[in-house]
Amino acid sequence: MELHAFFNACLNAASAALLFSGYRAIRRGEVERHRKRMLSAFAVSALFLVSYLVRYAVSGTHRFPLEGGLRTLYLLVLGSHSLLAAVLLPLALRTLWLPWKGSFDRHRRIARITFPIWAYVSVTGVVVYLMLYHLPSLLG
């Protein structure tokens, strides 16, 4: 199942890259590029969610094999990632819906909250993968 986990980490990395690219585009005034990048980031994140749920249904949870401070760090990263991922979906949907309605000021206000959460969730998804599947063998 590690290949499936690797695929999911790649989806998280792609989402993060699209998010940061979309952020850079809007800072440069490239509205259409921003729109495409953010919709792509949402599509990749949605694909991740489906893929993750399939992996979870097939193989269940995977325990972090190390103890001590690294286990505590892993659980803190995983816990914050999971909590913010649960909050993210309604925020992302709202953030993407507002500009379609022409509510650009409200979109900007909520995007200032949504973007850092979405970026954190995407980046820590990769970190969780690396810690769970690669850190133990590096220290091992």
Side-chain angles (χ1 to χ4, degrees), residues 9-29:
C10 289
L11 290 174
N12 271 316
S15 176
L18 288 162
L19 286 169
F20 287 109
S21 177
Y23 177 81
R24 186 177 65 233
I26 201 62
R27 301 308 288 172
R28 293 179 175 173

Side-chain angles (χ1 to χ4, degrees), residues 34-91:
H34 168 74
R35 185 184 69 78
K36 288 178 181 177
R37 295 296 192 279
M38 298 318 249
L39 289 174
S40 296
F42 184 79
V44 169
S45 293
L47 179 59
F48 162 80
L49 180 58
V50 170
S51 180
Y52 175 80
L53 291 173
V54 167
R55 190 205 58 78
Y56 181 78
V58 170
S59 64
T61 59
H62 296 264
R63 291 188 45 83
F64 188 71
L66 301 176
E67 296 296 328
L70 285 174
R71 180 178 189 77
T72 301
L73 177 63
Y74 171 78
L75 291 173
L76 286 171
V77 172
L78 178 63
S80 63
H81 168 84
S82 299
L83 178 66
L84 290 172
V87 170
L88 177 60
L89 182 59
L91 275 174

